[in-house]
Amino acid sequence: MHLHVSRQFNSMSLSNHYCELLKHCRDTKKVHCHIIKAIRNPDTFLLNNLVSAYTKLGSITYARRVFDQMPQPNLYSWNTLLSSYSKLARLHEMERVFDAMPTRDVVSWNSLISGYAGRGFLVQSVKAYNLMLYDGSFNLNRIALSTMLILASNQGCVRLGRQIHGHVVKFGFRSYVFVGSPLVDMYSKTGFIFCARQAFDEMPEKNVVMYNTLIAGLMRCGRIEDSRQLFYDMREKDSISWTAMIAGFTQNGLDREAIDLFREMRLENLEMDQYTFGSVLTACGGVMALQEGKQVHAYIIRTDYQDNIYVGSALVDMYCKCKSIKSAETVFRKMTCKNVVSWTAMLVGYGQNGCSEEAVKIFCDMQKYGIEPDDFTLGSVISSCANLASLEEGAQFHGRALVSGLISFITVSNALVTLYGKCGSIEDSHRLFSEMSFVDEVSWTALVSGYAQFGKANETIRLFESMIAHGFKPDKVTFIGVLSACSRAGLVEKGNQIFKSMINEHRIIPIHDHYTCMIDLFSRAGRLEEARNFINKMPFSPDAIGWASLLSSCRFYGNMGIGKWAAESLLKLEPHNTASYILLSSIYAAKGKWEEVAKLRKEMKDKGLRKEPGCSWIKYKNQVHIFSADDRSNPYSDQIYSELEKLNYKMIQEGYLPDMNSVLHDVEDSEKIKMLNHHSEKLAIAFGLIFIPPGLPIRIVKNLRVCGDCHNATKYISRITQREILVRDTARFHLFKDGMCSCGDFW
């Protein structure tokens, strides 16, 4: 900037000249230097402009120095400084300036009230507001009223809002739309939607902001039709009006309507923002509308929002919910800027798509980039550890939650209760639950489900009843947990009673999972005719898990008639499901009908179907060791098989007899024994006995249900070695200790 001041300018001309420069020049300090050199005693008007220039740049220290050097600061000078402290939330300085003011006007009071309200200080704001009225109602204006209404809205204080509403009417501000919008917003956000509508209707003049505010409020309260009617009654709509409707439809689960309205908005050629795109992408994810989501993505690419962090995160979330995890990864990688929301969207997406290992990995990557997780992120990664049954990693995240203080968030505490429950440490799960300062329905359900999976039916039922006694409402997931516990313990009457109470007392409509639990309840107890009658009375046909549960029990109890019906029903539902062939083969094999077994195997071969190979895994020193039957790929195979030979010898001495029915092949008994000896879980247990230090439990995870022979053998092993062995199969946890299993041999 070139500054040249002619000597012929008088002091007034110079003052005006520098005032103009301060309005247009960003280098306030440089202008200030020239003022000092050119004018010995600058007037108050010029100094006020200098203070304003510094405050606009956020240089409050320099602004204060100029103010302190002013010989005669006027009311404008004081208000400028006061307003700066108010906007910067430097409340102590604001109070000192306000107290020192020789006179005050409307601007002074507005600045004081705004300073307190901006920090959410309700008591101080109300006190300042009342002092202003005491000083004279002439101080009251639309800004003060609007500020107080916004404060009442943010704090959820409808009592204060009503009092301010009374002042709006009393002092004649009802016709001001600037006051009307926050008044409507206050009532709608505090749940008084009828009062919001009444305040809206009583306003003589309404602008588009007021309409948008009421539409958003009605949508928040679930009044869809009222919102729709108001929207179509509007003479003029802006992009915010359309976005409020799209977001409202999405919030109320009307995802298809949100997508359709987005199409209409496009036809209107209205400008869209990040909230429009974010809402419609959420709607696409909600109904797994992948094609529509891709179309929205293509439209975003043609706009300036491709690199918007909010839109990018919404795209990741949409693709994850649509099971297009590769597309989500592509969007995530291309994002030039990521925040905790972006990382969390990808992490949660991995978890939702069964990629729990990738979820844990991306959490570690997030930390490398210096992004601090919030409670939702940490809760999500702990949930992924629970799905992996990875107690060691989950415990590390537990430590992080303690250090960071995030354990105080219920999302993290609930995830930890679930983690320890799913990893078989039910005592730790219950201890964490007991230590929580606040619990909700999710907390209770996590604990109930943990006990249920562990097979502790009586404890599960007691917890369920305690949950209700404490005033918490069980949901569908809670009932799945307690019903599954009853089925695993053979408590048929109790399970039946709970199922009926779910419908009649709690008014919950059963879903497939509840019916599957009931089929399992009757089937496991050997009451196969009752299971068939129950299925025939169901409002819809069982899902694959329900039929497989019945078929599995038919195999166990040798009921060929119902077993064949269940197998045929399962094949009709899922022609390529190998479970029906395998379980029916088991029934035939147990009856010695090897020709029928051969026919089923040929049919599987002709259809190109293969049985899912059973495998078991154990974690040691942060490495997962996976075993399949007769597996010799492990570098320690020689030691493992040697350990098994020793165990077999000791087991036979203790009275162990191999269960030949667990082998579905028509071979000699000696060959069957050999096949049984090398099942995957036995190999994993032998590995654990070699490497896991004494005193620590051996934790095994299996991808299939534990067979009868392995279950019996593991009981013997636990007694011979005096070790605790925890096996998690697809049905439940089995804690083997001193020759006994926690399931009571009922699984």
Side-chain angles (χ1 to χ4, degrees):
M1 180 188 69
H2 177 69
L3 291 171
H4 176 72
V5 182
S6 175
R7 293 182 180 179
Q8 64 203 30
F9 281 171
N10 57 30
S11 180
M12 184 64 72
S13 299
L14 277 173
S15 180
N16 292 334
H17 174 71
Y18 284 120
C19 285
E20 285 300 314
L21 284 177
L22 287 168
K23 288 179 183 177
H24 304 292
C25 177
R26 292 185 178 181
D27 197 345
T28 304
K29 289 182 183 179
K30 198 169 184 179
V31 177
H32 191 181
C33 289
H34 282 281
I35 292 171
I36 293 170
K37 291 177 183 178
I39 305 175
R40 181 175 297 178
N41 297 308
D43 58 28
T44 303
F45 179 75
L46 176 57
L47 292 176
N48 282 344
N49 278 271
L50 191 55
V51 171
S52 295
Y54 275 128
T55 57
K56 285 176 183 176
L57 293 173
S59 303
I60 190 66
T61 305
Y62 287 102
R64 184 60 196 249
R65 287 176 186 171
V66 173
F67 176 84
D68 289 340
Q69 292 169 7
M70 293 173 69
Q72 292 179 322
N74 58 18
L75 184 56
Y76 181 87
S77 318
W78 286 95
N79 281 339
T80 303
L81 189 65
L82 179 69
S83 176
S84 300
Y85 283 130
S86 173
K87 289 174 182 175
L88 293 171
R90 293 174 63 166
L91 302 188
H92 292 301
E93 292 97 328
M94 178 190 77
E95 289 168 345
R96 284 198 293 268
V97 169
F98 185 83
D99 291 339
M101 292 178 72
T103 57
R104 305 179 184 111
D105 65 358
V106 174
V107 177
S108 317
W109 287 105
N110 286 345
S111 296
L112 184 69
I113 294 167
S114 296
Y116 288 131
R119 291 294 301 274
F121 291 171
L122 184 67
V123 175
Q124 293 90 329
S125 300
V126 172
K127 185 179 178 182
Y129 178 81
N130 289 333
L131 284 171
M132 179 190 71
L133 291 179
Y134 182 78
D135 190 54
S137 60
F138 55 83
N139 289 313
L140 187 63
N141 70 348
R142 59 195 181 97
I143 296 173
L145 291 167
S146 176
T147 302
M148 292 301 291
L149 286 168
I150 292 169
L151 175 67
S153 176
N154 292 339
Q155 298 290 317
C157 186
V158 70
R159 184 179 176 184
L160 172 63
R162 285 186 186 279
Q163 290 173 347
I164 303 301
H165 187 185
H167 289 173
V168 169
V169 176
K170 180 179 178 180
F171 295 110
F173 287 93
R174 185 183 289 181
S175 61
Y176 286 80
V177 291
F178 187 84
V179 176
S181 291
L183 180 62
V184 171
D185 187 59
M186 181 276 297
Y187 278 125
S188 64
K189 281 185 178 176
T190 52
F192 291 83
I193 194 63
F194 293 107
C195 295
R197 185 63 197 247
Q198 185 179 353
F200 176 85
D201 291 338
E202 288 175 355
M203 294 293 292
E205 289 186 25
K206 305 174 184 71
N207 61 6
V208 70
V209 177
M210 284 191 66
Y211 274 95
N212 294 344
T213 303
L214 185 58
I215 286 171
L218 289 166
M219 281 295 193
R220 256 195 311 272
C221 296
R223 301 188 68 83
I224 314 299
E225 290 308 315
D226 289 344
S227 302
R228 199 196 309 267
Q229 187 64 48
L230 193 65
F231 176 74
Y232 287 112
D233 284 347
M234 291 177 69
R235 294 177 182 175
E236 293 183 13
K237 306 179 185 76
D238 60 10
S239 60
I240 298 173
S241 316
W242 289 83
T243 300
M245 286 296 294
I246 293 167
F249 282 139
T250 304
Q251 290 161 7
N252 286 279
L254 301 172
D255 297 315
R256 277 291 167 194
E257 294 200 37
I259 295 168
D260 292 340
L261 193 63
F262 176 80
R263 288 197 186 100
E264 288 184 42
M265 185 178 179
R266 279 190 62 186
L267 294 174
E268 295 287 333
N269 289 320
L270 288 166
E271 186 178 343
M272 299 178 184
D273 60 14
Q274 59 182 9
Y275 302 108
T276 319
F277 291 125
S279 297
V280 74
L281 287 170
T282 301
C284 292
V287 290
M288 296 181 68
L290 182 59
Q291 286 307 117
E292 288 90 338
K294 286 182 175 179
Q295 291 169 7
V296 175
H297 189 182
Y299 186 70
I300 288 167
I301 291 171
R302 298 198 298 270
T303 68
D304 295 331
Y305 287 93
Q306 187 175 358
D307 293 325
N308 182 281
I309 194 167
Y310 180 87
V311 174
S313 302
L315 278 167
V316 171
D317 180 66
M318 181 274 294
Y319 279 121
C320 288
K321 285 178 178 172
C322 292
K323 307 297 180 187
S324 182
I325 198 72
K326 294 295 180 186
S327 299
E329 288 174 335
T330 302
V331 172
F332 183 77
R333 280 197 305 269
K334 288 182 178 180
M335 288 178 69
T336 54
C337 182
K338 304 181 186 81
N339 62 5
V340 66
V341 177
S342 321
W343 286 92
T344 302
M346 194 69 245
L347 190 155
V348 172
Y350 278 132
Q352 290 170 342
N353 286 274
C355 307
S356 296
E357 289 182 18
E358 287 82 353
V360 175
K361 182 179 180 299
I362 202 169
F363 182 88
C364 298
D365 291 342
M366 184 181 81
Q367 289 181 294
K368 289 176 186 175
Y369 281 94
I371 305 293
E372 283 298 314
D374 59 14
D375 61 301
F376 190 65
T377 319
L378 192 57
S380 299
V381 75
I382 291 170
S383 297
S384 293
C385 291
N387 294 332
L388 292 168
S390 179
L391 183 60
E392 293 82 1
E393 283 180 306
Q396 290 174 12
F397 291 125
H398 185 180
R400 183 181 179 93
L402 287 167
V403 172
S404 64
L406 291 175
I407 196 162
S408 61
F409 288 87
I410 197 165
T411 47
V412 176
S413 298
N414 285 344
L416 285 168
V417 171
T418 303
L419 167 77
Y420 287 108
K422 283 190 174 182
C423 291
S425 299
I426 196 65
E427 293 84 5
D428 291 328
S429 180
H430 204 147
R431 177 179 55 78
L432 269 167
F433 176 85
S434 301
E435 291 173 355
M436 290 172 67
S437 56
F438 173 77
V439 295
D440 61 4
E441 283 81 359
V442 177
S443 319
W444 282 96
T445 298
L447 192 61
V448 166
S449 300
Y451 272 100
Q453 194 167 15
F454 215 89
K456 294 180 177 287
N458 292 326
E459 291 89 338
T460 303
I461 293 167
R462 276 199 295 270
L463 272 171
F464 172 73
E465 291 170 348
S466 180
M467 174 184 180
I468 295 171
H470 279 83
F472 291 94
K473 186 175 175 60
D475 62 9
K476 292 179 179 181
V477 180
T478 320
F479 278 102
I480 291 169
V482 73
L483 288 172
S484 64
C486 291
S487 72
R488 287 163 185 161
L491 302 176
V492 179
E493 279 70 29
K494 187 64 178 177
N496 210 5
Q497 176 193 331
I498 290 170
F499 180 75
K500 288 176 181 176
S501 75
M502 178 185 78
I503 300 169
N504 300 326
E505 295 174 28
H506 297 279
R507 305 295 179 188
I508 293 175
I509 299 171
I511 57 174
H512 266 113
D513 290 340
H514 299 118
Y515 284 109
T516 298
C517 286
M518 292 303 294
I519 295 168
D520 196 50
L521 177 72
F522 291 120
S523 302
R524 281 176 187 264
R527 294 159 71 159
L528 300 175
E529 280 295 339
E530 289 182 63
R532 176 158 62 181
N533 292 336
F534 181 82
I535 289 171
N536 288 331
K537 291 177 182 177
M538 283 172 57
F540 42 72
S541 180
D543 59 12
I545 300 172
W547 288 118
S549 178
L550 177 61
L551 184 53
S552 178
S553 294
C554 289
R555 176 192 65 81
F556 184 82
Y557 291 104
N559 191 317
M560 194 175 295
I562 296 178
K564 196 171 182 181
W565 172 62
E568 288 171 353
S569 300
L570 180 56
L571 279 172
K572 192 180 294 183
L573 184 65
E574 293 186 359
H576 299 289
N577 191 325
T578 58
S580 53
Y581 292 98
I582 303 303
L583 292 170
L584 194 56
S585 294
S586 301
I587 297 173
Y588 286 135
K591 299 286 186 181
K593 297 191 174 186
W594 297 109
E595 289 183 6
E596 297 296 330
V597 173
K599 283 181 184 177
L600 286 170
R601 285 181 179 162
K602 184 179 183 302
E603 192 175 337
M604 283 182 69
K605 187 177 180 181
D606 292 343
K607 290 183 177 180
L609 302 177
R610 293 183 63 188
K611 176 189 173 184
E612 181 186 2
C615 63
S616 303
W617 57 93
I618 182 171
K619 196 167 187 178
Y620 175 63
K621 288 187 175 180
N622 291 322
Q623 185 177 351
V624 178
H625 296 263
I626 303 173
F627 299 91
S628 56
D630 294 310
D631 189 357
R632 289 188 177 272
S633 61
N634 193 283
Y636 303 103
S637 286
D638 291 342
Q639 291 172 257
I640 292 167
Y641 279 86
S642 175
E643 181 72 19
L644 271 180
E645 289 300 319
K646 295 175 190 174
L647 284 172
N648 281 328
Y649 177 75
K650 291 178 182 177
M651 284 159 57
I652 291 168
Q653 284 187 320
E654 292 285 330
Y656 162 72
L657 292 173
D659 181 7
M660 303 299 186
N661 291 328
S662 295
V663 181
L664 305 181
H665 296 276
D666 187 16
V667 294
E668 297 295 326
D669 284 355
S670 59
E671 188 63 27
K672 287 184 179 181
I673 292 170
K674 185 179 177 183
M675 294 169 74
L676 288 171
N677 285 346
H678 300 157
H679 273 193
S680 65
E681 51 263 63
K682 290 180 181 175
L683 296 173
I685 290 169
F687 178 93
L689 289 169
I690 296 167
F691 293 102
I692 304 297
L696 294 177
I698 296 168
R699 298 175 180 274
I700 310 293
V701 183
K702 184 173 172 61
N703 70 327
L704 301 175
R705 197 167 168 180
V706 173
C707 75
D709 179 73
C710 286
H711 189 272
N712 189 34
T714 308
K715 289 197 296 182
Y716 277 96
I717 293 170
S718 70
R719 187 170 67 213
I720 292 165
T721 61
Q722 288 298 293
R723 298 290 295 268
E724 282 190 15
I725 302 169
L726 188 68
V727 178
R728 175 182 169 182
D729 67 5
T730 54
R732 59 174 295 156
F733 277 105
H734 301 265
L735 178 61
F736 298 92
K737 184 179 180 181
D738 297 326
M740 305 288 287
C741 180
S742 59
C743 74
D745 297 336
F746 191 92
W747 80 102

